[in-house]
Amino acid sequence: MVVKIYNNIMASKPKSDRFYQFPERALIYAFNNLSSSALRLYIILAGQKNGFLAETELYCKRANIKIEEYNIYENELIEKGFLSRTNEELSIKCPLKAYTVNYDTAEEKQGTGINFQELI
């Protein structure tokens, strides 16, 4: 199946360069909320320029997942707010919930009573 990518989170990516660029919040949230296979698929899909068109086999090969598992991981990404699908078009998203988490503060380690923020 051919899938076209709509990627508003990568709007500033130069069309001629081959590199990946991600919003930090999207990646940190993904690292904490996706299975490893869904994370790899997200990194591949979200790294494509807006309007990229390819067969799902290419995405699977790059993400190192089996073609028969593609729908499982795409559905995980949709359910968790990282993608939306309209027919053969995928829209890449950064889940709104990622913007509610403060990744810049140290968390208190559970069970020890140590507040790591006080150590800084």
Side-chain angles (χ1 to χ4, degrees), residues 2 31 34 36 47 55 60 79 96-97 101 117 120:
V2 175
F31 291 152
L34 295 175
S36 61
E55 295 277 344
C60 290
E79 289 171 10
L96 293 176
K97 192 169 184 180
V101 180
Q117 202 162 11
I120 297 175

Side-chain angles (χ1 to χ4, degrees), residues 76-115:
E76 181 180 342
L77 293 171
I78 291 169
E79 289 171 10
K80 294 185 177 177
F82 290 90
L83 294 179
S84 65
R85 174 182 267 292
T86 307
N87 300 320
E88 285 79 39
E89 298 173 355
L90 286 177
S91 292
I92 310 301
K93 300 178 175 199
C94 178
L96 293 176
K97 192 169 184 180
Y99 291 96
T100 65
V101 180
N102 185 351
Y103 296 109
D104 296 326
T105 62
E107 301 275 333
E108 182 177 314
K109 188 173 180 181
Q110 292 185 4
T112 64
I114 298 171
N115 182 341

Side-chain angles (χ1 to χ4, degrees), residues 1-5 52-54 56 59 70 85 88 90:
M1 167 177 47
V2 175
V3 177
K4 186 172 187 176
I5 302 288
F52 188 77
L53 184 68
T56 53
Y59 303 133
Y70 175 85
R85 174 182 267 292
E88 285 79 39
L90 286 177

